[in-house]
Amino acid sequence: MTVSPRLRKFALTSHIASSVGLLGAIAGFLALAVAGLTSQDVQIVRAAYLAMELIAWFVVVPLALASLLIGIVQSLGTTWGLFRHYWVIAKLLLTVFATTVLLLQMKTIGYIVRVAAETTLARGDLFEARISLVIHAGGGLLVSLVPLALSVYKPRGRLR
Amino acid sequence: MVDLGDGRSPGSGANTPRWVKVSAIIGGVLVLLIAIALFTGHGPGRHIAGGRAPFSGVMEDGPGGHVPSEDGK
Protein backbone atom coordinates (compact mmCIF):
# COMPACT_ATOMS: atom_id res chain seq x y z
CA MET A 1 0.00 0.00 0.00
CA THR A 2 1.47 3.32 -1.08
CA VAL A 3 0.50 6.61 0.51
CA SER A 4 1.34 10.15 -0.42
CA PRO A 5 4.38 11.79 1.26
CA ARG A 6 2.06 14.36 2.89
CA LEU A 7 -0.13 11.67 4.47
CA ARG A 8 2.94 9.65 5.48
CA LYS A 9 4.44 12.64 7.29
CA PHE A 10 1.13 13.37 8.99
CA ALA A 11 0.93 9.77 10.20
CA LEU A 12 4.54 9.88 11.36
CA THR A 13 3.96 13.13 13.26
CA SER A 14 0.82 11.71 14.86
CA HIS A 15 2.61 8.51 15.83
CA ILE A 16 5.56 10.34 17.41
CA ALA A 17 3.22 12.76 19.20
CA SER A 18 1.04 9.99 20.64
CA SER A 19 3.99 7.78 21.60
CA VAL A 20 6.06 10.51 23.24
CA GLY A 21 2.94 12.03 24.78
CA LEU A 22 2.17 8.61 26.26
CA LEU A 23 5.61 8.54 27.89
CA GLY A 24 4.96 11.93 29.51
CA ALA A 25 1.48 10.90 30.64
CA ILE A 26 2.80 7.70 32.23
CA ALA A 27 5.54 9.70 33.98
CA GLY A 28 2.88 12.04 35.42
CA PHE A 29 0.75 9.05 36.41
CA LEU A 30 3.77 7.50 38.15
CA ALA A 31 4.43 10.72 40.08
CA LEU A 32 0.82 10.73 41.32
CA ALA A 33 0.99 7.02 42.19
CA VAL A 34 4.11 7.64 44.29
CA ALA A 35 2.48 10.67 45.95
CA GLY A 36 -0.65 8.62 46.71
CA LEU A 37 1.45 5.88 48.24
CA THR A 38 3.89 7.95 50.28
CA SER A 39 2.20 11.23 51.23
CA GLN A 40 1.15 11.80 54.83
CA ASP A 41 -1.38 14.45 53.76
CA VAL A 42 -4.80 12.85 53.26
CA GLN A 43 -5.86 15.62 50.89
CA ILE A 44 -2.88 14.99 48.65
CA VAL A 45 -3.54 11.23 48.73
CA ARG A 46 -7.17 11.71 47.72
CA ALA A 47 -6.34 14.31 45.08
CA ALA A 48 -3.61 12.10 43.64
CA TYR A 49 -5.90 9.10 43.16
CA LEU A 50 -8.75 11.17 41.75
CA ALA A 51 -6.36 12.80 39.28
CA MET A 52 -4.87 9.42 38.38
CA GLU A 53 -8.20 8.08 37.20
CA LEU A 54 -8.79 11.15 35.03
CA ILE A 55 -5.30 10.99 33.53
CA ALA A 56 -5.62 7.26 32.95
CA TRP A 57 -8.99 7.39 31.18
CA PHE A 58 -8.60 10.66 29.28
CA VAL A 59 -4.88 10.75 28.49
CA VAL A 60 -3.02 7.46 28.97
CA VAL A 61 -5.58 5.05 27.46
CA PRO A 62 -6.40 7.25 24.41
CA LEU A 63 -2.71 7.89 23.70
CA ALA A 64 -1.86 4.20 24.07
CA LEU A 65 -4.61 3.18 21.66
CA ALA A 66 -3.75 6.02 19.27
CA SER A 67 -0.07 5.07 19.30
CA LEU A 68 -0.91 1.43 18.58
CA LEU A 69 -3.45 2.08 15.84
CA ILE A 70 -1.52 4.86 14.10
CA GLY A 71 1.63 2.73 14.26
CA ILE A 72 -0.12 -0.20 12.58
CA VAL A 73 -1.65 2.00 9.86
CA GLN A 74 1.64 3.80 9.34
CA SER A 75 3.67 0.62 9.04
CA LEU A 76 1.33 -0.71 6.38
CA GLY A 77 1.74 2.49 4.39
CA THR A 78 5.53 2.48 4.31
CA THR A 79 8.27 0.19 3.06
CA TRP A 80 8.91 -0.97 6.62
CA GLY A 81 5.72 -3.07 6.74
CA LEU A 82 4.21 -4.62 9.85
CA PHE A 83 5.74 -8.11 9.71
CA ARG A 84 8.80 -7.44 7.59
CA HIS A 85 11.38 -6.31 10.16
CA TYR A 86 12.05 -7.73 13.61
CA TRP A 87 12.23 -4.31 15.25
CA VAL A 88 8.76 -3.40 13.97
CA ILE A 89 7.34 -6.70 15.24
CA ALA A 90 9.06 -6.13 18.61
CA LYS A 91 7.48 -2.67 18.82
CA LEU A 92 4.06 -4.08 17.98
CA LEU A 93 4.30 -6.87 20.57
CA LEU A 94 5.52 -4.51 23.31
CA THR A 95 2.82 -1.94 22.58
CA VAL A 96 0.06 -4.58 22.52
CA PHE A 97 1.39 -6.06 25.78
CA ALA A 98 1.64 -2.67 27.52
CA THR A 99 -1.83 -1.60 26.34
CA THR A 100 -3.37 -4.88 27.51
CA VAL A 101 -1.78 -4.56 30.97
CA LEU A 102 -2.95 -0.94 31.13
CA LEU A 103 -6.56 -1.87 30.33
CA LEU A 104 -6.46 -4.67 32.92
CA GLN A 105 -5.15 -2.20 35.52
CA MET A 106 -8.05 0.20 34.98
CA LYS A 107 -10.27 -1.88 37.26
CA THR A 108 -7.78 -1.62 40.11
CA ILE A 109 -7.39 2.13 39.53
CA GLY A 110 -11.17 2.61 39.62
CA TYR A 111 -11.43 0.60 42.83
CA ILE A 112 -8.74 2.62 44.65
CA VAL A 113 -10.25 5.88 43.43
CA ARG A 114 -13.70 4.86 44.63
CA VAL A 115 -12.34 4.03 48.09
CA ALA A 116 -10.18 7.18 48.18
CA ALA A 117 -13.17 9.34 47.24
CA GLU A 118 -15.46 7.88 49.91
CA THR A 119 -13.02 7.39 52.77
CA THR A 120 -9.81 8.67 54.23
CA LEU A 121 -7.08 6.25 53.24
CA ALA A 122 -4.63 5.49 56.00
CA ARG A 123 -1.04 4.75 55.06
CA GLY A 124 -1.45 0.97 55.10
CA ASP A 125 -4.90 0.81 53.49
CA LEU A 126 -5.00 -1.02 50.16
CA PHE A 127 -1.23 -1.07 50.35
CA GLU A 128 -0.76 -3.92 47.86
CA ALA A 129 -3.08 -2.35 45.31
CA ARG A 130 -1.45 1.06 45.69
CA ILE A 131 2.08 -0.26 45.39
CA SER A 132 0.89 -2.33 42.42
CA LEU A 133 -0.03 0.92 40.67
CA VAL A 134 3.48 2.30 41.26
CA ILE A 135 5.12 -0.88 39.97
CA HIS A 136 2.89 -1.08 36.90
CA ALA A 137 3.37 2.61 36.09
CA GLY A 138 7.15 2.30 36.47
CA GLY A 139 7.19 -0.86 34.39
CA GLY A 140 4.97 0.76 31.79
CA LEU A 141 7.34 3.68 31.53
CA LEU A 142 10.33 1.40 30.98
CA VAL A 143 8.47 -0.78 28.47
CA SER A 144 7.34 2.32 26.56
CA LEU A 145 10.93 3.52 26.26
CA VAL A 146 11.94 0.38 24.34
CA PRO A 147 9.78 1.07 21.24
CA LEU A 148 11.15 4.62 21.24
CA ALA A 149 14.72 3.29 21.16
CA LEU A 150 13.81 0.70 18.51
CA SER A 151 12.35 3.44 16.29
CA VAL A 152 15.55 5.44 16.45
CA TYR A 153 18.14 2.64 16.22
CA LYS A 154 16.18 0.33 13.88
CA PRO A 155 18.30 -2.76 14.59
CA ARG A 156 19.01 -5.01 11.65
CA GLY A 157 17.16 -8.16 10.74
CA ARG A 158 14.17 -8.89 8.59
CA LEU A 159 11.66 -11.67 8.52
CA ARG A 160 11.18 -11.76 4.78
CA MET B 1 6.81 1.17 12.43
CA VAL B 2 8.33 4.60 12.57
CA ASP B 3 10.54 5.81 9.81
CA LEU B 4 12.23 8.82 11.35
CA GLY B 5 13.55 9.85 8.00
CA ASP B 6 17.20 9.14 8.64
CA GLY B 7 17.57 8.01 5.07
CA ARG B 8 18.59 4.51 6.04
CA SER B 9 17.33 1.72 3.87
CA PRO B 10 15.59 -1.18 5.57
CA GLY B 11 18.11 -3.59 7.05
CA SER B 12 18.54 -7.04 5.63
CA GLY B 13 19.93 -10.31 6.82
CA ALA B 14 19.29 -13.96 6.11
CA ASN B 15 19.94 -15.14 9.66
CA THR B 16 18.07 -14.18 12.79
CA PRO B 17 20.09 -11.47 14.54
CA ARG B 18 21.42 -12.08 18.04
CA TRP B 19 19.36 -9.24 19.55
CA VAL B 20 16.20 -10.96 18.32
CA LYS B 21 17.23 -14.29 19.87
CA VAL B 22 18.15 -12.67 23.21
CA SER B 23 14.92 -10.63 23.23
CA ALA B 24 12.87 -13.73 22.40
CA ILE B 25 14.45 -15.65 25.32
CA ILE B 26 13.84 -12.75 27.73
CA GLY B 27 10.28 -12.34 26.43
CA GLY B 28 9.63 -16.07 26.76
CA VAL B 29 10.86 -16.11 30.35
CA LEU B 30 8.69 -13.08 31.19
CA VAL B 31 5.62 -14.67 29.61
CA LEU B 32 6.31 -17.84 31.63
CA LEU B 33 6.63 -15.82 34.86
CA ILE B 34 3.41 -13.93 34.10
CA ALA B 35 1.60 -17.22 33.40
CA ILE B 36 2.85 -18.65 36.71
CA ALA B 37 1.76 -15.47 38.53
CA LEU B 38 -1.70 -15.66 36.95
CA PHE B 39 -2.17 -19.31 37.87
CA THR B 40 -1.05 -18.71 41.45
CA GLY B 41 -3.64 -16.01 42.02
CA HIS B 42 -1.55 -12.92 41.36
CA GLY B 43 -3.56 -11.78 38.37
CA PRO B 44 -5.22 -8.42 37.78
CA GLY B 45 -8.06 -7.55 40.12
CA ARG B 46 -6.82 -9.67 43.01
CA HIS B 47 -6.61 -6.50 45.10
CA ILE B 48 -10.32 -6.02 44.70
CA ALA B 49 -12.02 -8.02 47.42
CA GLY B 50 -15.45 -8.65 45.89
CA GLY B 51 -16.33 -4.98 45.90
CA ARG B 52 -15.70 -4.70 49.63
CA ALA B 53 -12.75 -2.61 50.64
CA PRO B 54 -10.16 -4.38 52.82
CA PHE B 55 -9.18 -1.15 54.50
CA SER B 56 -9.44 0.65 57.79
CA GLY B 57 -10.29 4.07 56.37
CA VAL B 58 -12.81 6.31 58.09
CA MET B 59 -16.06 6.84 56.20
CA GLU B 60 -16.84 10.49 55.69
CA ASP B 61 -20.59 10.66 55.72
CA GLY B 62 -20.81 13.45 58.22
CA PRO B 63 -18.89 15.32 60.85
CA GLY B 64 -16.55 12.87 62.50
CA GLY B 65 -17.56 10.06 60.17
CA HIS B 66 -17.68 6.48 61.36
CA VAL B 67 -15.65 3.35 61.13
CA PRO B 68 -17.26 0.79 58.79
CA SER B 69 -18.71 -2.22 60.54
CA GLU B 70 -18.25 -5.85 59.49
CA ASP B 71 -20.97 -5.65 56.85
CA GLY B 72 -19.28 -2.62 55.35
CA LYS B 73 -22.02 -0.16 56.36
Side-chain angles (χ1 to χ4, degrees):
Chain A
M1 186 169 69
T2 309
V3 295
S4 66
R6 182 178 289 185
L7 186 61
R8 191 179 63 81
K9 283 191 177 179
F10 176 74
L12 174 61
T13 305
S14 304
H15 186 54
I16 293 173
S18 56
S19 303
V20 177
L22 177 63
L23 275 173
I26 297 174
F29 185 89
L30 176 61
L32 291 173
V34 171
L37 182 70
T38 59
S39 179
Q40 307 277 2
D41 188 329
V42 292
Q43 297 293 348
I44 289 179
V45 172
R46 175 173 294 166
Y49 287 119
L50 293 176
M52 280 171 71
E53 188 179 41
L54 291 174
I55 289 178
W57 277 118
F58 296 111
V59 185
V60 178
V61 169
L63 284 177
L65 294 176
S67 174
L68 178 62
L69 294 176
I70 296 170
I72 291 171
V73 171
Q74 193 199 3
S75 70
L76 296 173
T78 64
T79 56
W80 295 103
L82 188 56
F83 299 108
R84 211 172 288 165
H85 298 269
Y86 285 114
W87 68 269
V88 179
I89 298 170
K91 277 190 68 177
L92 176 66
L93 291 176
L94 282 169
T95 309
V96 168
F97 172 73
T99 306
T100 304
V101 173
L102 167 67
L103 294 176
L104 290 174
Q105 277 291 304
M106 293 307 295
K107 199 173 177 183
T108 303
I109 296 169
Y111 175 64
I112 296 175
V113 169
R114 203 168 62 245
V115 174
E118 295 172 357
T119 69
T120 299
L121 281 176
R123 197 177 174 89
D125 292 335
L126 302 176
F127 182 74
E128 280 189 32
R130 291 158 74 187
I131 204 161
S132 167
L133 285 187
V134 174
I135 292 170
H136 280 90
L141 191 60
L142 290 176
V143 168
S144 300
L145 282 170
V146 178
L148 177 70
L150 286 171
S151 299
V152 175
Y153 287 96
K154 296 183 178 65
R156 284 185 169 278
R158 53 186 303 166
L159 212 57
R160 56 186 169 85
Chain B
M1 237 171 283
V2 173
D3 176 3
L4 290 177
D6 58 359
R8 211 170 100 193
S9 62
S12 63
N15 299 323
T16 306
R18 188 163 50 181
W19 74 268
V20 176
K21 291 175 184 171
V22 172
S23 302
I25 291 169
I26 294 171
V29 170
L30 286 177
V31 167
L32 194 65
L33 289 175
I34 290 170
I36 290 170
L38 289 175
F39 282 113
T40 53
H42 288 76
R46 78 184 183 97
H47 306 296
I48 302 170
R52 185 170 175 274
F55 63 93
S56 60
V58 176
M59 303 297 287
E60 291 187 346
D61 58 346
H66 73 272
V67 178
S69 60
E70 275 302 305
D71 61 359
K73 293 179 180 175

